[in-house]
Amino acid sequence: MKGFSKMIVAGVTIFIIGLIIMLVFMSLNGWTVNGNFEMKEYTCESQVTTLKFDLSAGTFETVYTDDDKITVSYPENHAFTTECNYDNGTLKITNKQKHWYNMVWFGTMPKATIKIPKGTVVNLDLEISAGKVMLDEAVYGNVNIELSAGTVNMSKSSCENFYCTISAGSVIIDSLNCDNIDLDVSAGMFTTHNTVCPQIKAQVSAGSAYFSILGTKSDYNFYIDKSAGSCNVESDRGNTDKTIRGNISAGSLDFDFSN
């Protein structure tokens, strides 16, 4: 009987721990008990050369408009807030809990929107530990993405250099045109469609990376180093300046070509 009671106590304890973990996960992805969010707005009066995100919850989107200034519309309540700080050309947007002891669970956090004047070219720097970012069609300088968890969805995009590090979560790109891609996937998923890039470097430790490339396979030199996992191309050198370098220690790295 005592053994049975101990099993009941252990089962209840495990259930409670699991429930707490689930509620914490839901909170980090924008779910809250005490909603009562108020939408606030920040307007940047200065010229922005770099747009930097440091996000830990909720959903953010960028939209290009006919306005002449960058504005940020964001939700705020007793637990969550967003800070917008401008310094020497960089606009940094950070969302966070106001206090470590705030815990919000049910209900949906409203979406935050960053409105950018059409024709504006900025460097994009994303550091995301949770949540979701949806990026409008855009032309950037350099793009840097550091994803610990969550999701990044990019519409048609052009840039000079594209850097992406994924520890978990997913990055999905509708179309990407750039001079250089440097990708490091230790877990999670990276997918890009309609890709135009002469220099591609991809390291996959786990998870998956997929490139849909406009062009033919013979357009590239391939340097593939695989210790485990899978890759649908092998090392192959030709007479071309375009290069694909892949290093796979686990997971998968795949390429498809339009021709």
Side-chain angles (χ1 to χ4, degrees), residues 85-134:
N85 297 301
Y86 178 86
D87 182 31
N88 195 28
T90 298
L91 176 59
K92 183 177 180 180
I93 301 170
T94 306
N95 76 332
K96 59 184 180 180
Q97 288 178 276
K98 290 182 178 179
H99 306 287
W100 68 268
Y101 49 79
N102 284 135
M103 186 55 63
V104 287
W105 294 334
F106 301 103
T108 301
M109 184 186 300
K111 178 173 57 181
T113 301
I114 299 91
K115 296 180 179 179
I116 306 170
K118 289 180 180 178
T120 301
V121 178
V122 297
N123 298 312
L124 182 65
D125 191 347
L126 300 180
E127 186 174 338
I128 305 168
S129 55
K132 183 177 183 179
V133 175
M134 300 179 293

Side-chain angles (χ1 to χ4, degrees), residues 204-221:
V204 181
S205 303
S208 64
Y210 170 79
F211 292 82
S212 175
I213 298 175
L214 296 179
T216 63
K217 185 178 178 182
S218 59
D219 289 339
Y220 287 86
N221 293 310

Side-chain angles (χ1 to χ4, degrees), residues 63-71 115-121:
V63 177
Y64 283 78
T65 71
D66 293 324
D67 298 339
D68 59 356
K69 293 182 176 65
I70 293 179
T71 61
K115 296 180 179 179
I116 306 170
K118 289 180 180 178
T120 301
V121 178

Side-chain angles (χ1 to χ4, degrees), residues 181 183 185 189-193 195 200-204 206-213 217 222 224 226 228-234 244-248 250-257:
I181 294 175
L183 172 68
V185 180
M189 179 186 74
F190 175 86
T191 299
T192 177
H193 301 280
T195 308
I200 299 174
K201 180 182 178 182
Q203 179 169 325
V204 181
S208 64
Y210 170 79
F211 292 82
S212 175
I213 298 175
K217 185 178 178 182
F222 293 89
I224 305 299
K226 182 179 66 174
S230 65
C231 182
N232 67 341
V233 297
E234 297 180 354
I244 291 177
R245 299 180 183 273
N247 189 313
I248 309 99
S252 64
L253 174 61
D254 293 305
F255 300 89
D256 280 336
F257 298 87

